[in-house]
Amino acid sequence: MTTPEQFFAGSPNGLALYEAVANVISSIGAAEVRVTKSQISFHRGKGFAFVWRPDQYLKTDVPAVLSFGLPCEVHSPRFKEVVRAAPKVWMHHIELRDTHQIDAEVRTWLAAAYENAQ
């Protein structure tokens, strides 16, 4: 797969969610976008945010998941899961169903992940 449109083929809601995340990230700063079979990732020195389709792995109606790395664990009922991926990286996962979920709070978290990716 080479484009977000191909990655989210058959899932227009998933593509809209990815585009909303991409717009927030581009408003924060420049990032390289990489599309693979399993995810679309945003890089700034290292990967800091990832959008993926949970239906590739699970039986679910959730069109997209946003995952991002922070240097510390953040507590919020919005997170589906938080995992310590490395000594200085906590991965936070949010199930996305609607673009309204990508709000000021998510923008703050993405900005922190962006800054941490240097």
Side-chain angles (χ1 to χ4, degrees):
M1 284 177 230
T2 59
T3 68
E5 292 79 11
Q6 290 170 317
F7 183 84
F8 281 106
S11 179
N13 193 20
L15 181 60
L17 291 162
Y18 156 77
E19 289 171 344
V21 169
N23 287 337
V24 167
I25 290 172
S26 69
S27 75
I28 295 167
E32 178 188 353
V33 177
R34 298 179 189 169
V35 182
T36 66
K37 185 178 180 180
S38 62
Q39 66 189 1
I40 302 174
S41 57
F42 296 86
H43 294 258
R44 180 181 184 230
K46 62 182 177 181
F48 65 92
F50 311 85
V51 180
W52 50 282
R53 294 180 69 163
D55 65 357
Q56 289 180 313
Y57 310 100
L58 308 165
K59 185 174 181 174
T60 181
D61 62 348
V62 175
V65 171
L66 169 61
S67 302
F68 51 87
L70 295 174
C72 60
E73 182 179 11
V74 175
H75 298 278
S76 171
R78 297 180 72 178
F79 296 128
K80 175 72 173 181
E81 184 177 34
V82 178
V83 178
R84 189 170 197 170
K88 296 182 181 181
V89 179
W90 289 84
M91 289 302 296
H92 298 74
H93 306 281
I94 300 175
E95 291 181 334
L96 297 176
R97 296 177 184 274
D98 186 278
T99 57
H100 292 100
Q101 290 176 270
I102 305 163
D103 57 12
E105 185 174 43
V106 171
R107 186 189 192 291
T108 299
W109 291 328
L110 287 172
Y114 181 89
E115 289 303 317
N116 191 52
Q118 270 294 81

